[in-house]
Amino acid sequence: MNLPTRLTTRDGFEMTVGTNHLGHFAFDALIWPAVRRSPAARVLTVSVIAARWPLGKLDDLMSDNNYSGMAA
């Protein structure tokens, strides 16, 4: 979180988006076969107070044009 410079994941996504958002969904996809074997299968996603912060610019979601660690 709040990296001093813009970094990207192996797949080319901005690191904060890749770690805090896309990574969770990738993990869910990997464990989904095991979860489905449960009679009460579910995946719950929770967030923290940061979820109430104003949205960044959706037209530059990967911070290609203007990087700010906190905004990412």
Side-chain angles (χ1 to χ4, degrees):
M1 182 183 148
N2 201 13
L3 299 171
T5 59
R6 183 183 183 277
L7 299 174
T8 58
T9 65
R10 259 190 333 203
D11 297 318
F13 298 106
E14 189 278 322
M15 187 67 74
T16 305
V17 172
T19 303
N20 294 338
H21 302 287
L22 303 176
H24 296 278
F25 290 104
F27 177 73
D28 290 349
L30 291 172
I31 66 167
W32 189 244
V35 171
R36 288 201 55 191
R37 289 193 292 269
S38 167
R42 69 184 73 203
V43 172
L44 178 66
T45 302
V46 297
S47 67
V48 296
I49 196 163
R52 296 178 185 254
W53 292 351
L55 287 175
K57 294 185 177 185
L58 296 179
D59 60 342
D60 189 25
L61 185 61
M62 296 300 142
S63 303
D64 290 319
N65 300 316
N66 188 18
Y67 178 78
S68 162
M70 286 303 289

